[in-house]
């Protein structure tokens, strides 16, 4: 799943480690989310959206074709 997480994180000037600490996840989780190798749980997606003051849809880009592969 594609995300705007890296873009938003960099715009805020926050490191992967700092964001991971805020969200109470590992830095590896942030790396995997940013690279599209991991899909966030609903709870984590909400935490991310709340932190950036965005909707989940603003951050996570759902591609139906990609999901059917």
């Amino acid at each position: 799943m594609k995300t705007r997480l890296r873009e938003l994180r960099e715009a805020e000037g926050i490191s992967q480690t700092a964001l991971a600490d805020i969200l109470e996840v590992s830095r590896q989780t942030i790396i995997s989310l940013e690279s599209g190798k991991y899909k966030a749980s609903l709870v984590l997606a909400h935490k991310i959206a709340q932190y950036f003051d965005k909707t989940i849809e603003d951050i996570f880009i759902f591609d139906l074709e990609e999901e059917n592969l």
Side-chain angles (χ1 to χ4, degrees), residues 4-60:
R4 293 183 52 221
L5 186 56
R6 177 177 288 138
E7 170 192 340
L8 294 168
R9 180 182 57 74
E10 289 176 349
E12 290 283 321
I14 189 169
S15 70
Q16 290 173 330
T17 301
L19 183 59
D21 289 344
I22 290 164
L23 299 174
E24 300 177 328
V25 298
S26 69
R27 179 173 172 261
Q28 185 59 44
T29 297
I30 301 301
I31 292 167
S32 295
L33 285 167
E34 289 183 352
S35 66
K37 295 180 181 179
Y38 175 75
K39 295 177 188 172
S41 68
L42 185 55
V43 171
L44 180 54
H46 272 283
K47 284 184 177 182
I48 293 167
Q50 288 177 341
Y51 176 78
F52 289 108
D53 195 27
K54 303 281 184 194
T55 66
I56 291 173
E57 293 84 359
D58 287 338
I59 300 169
F60 296 91

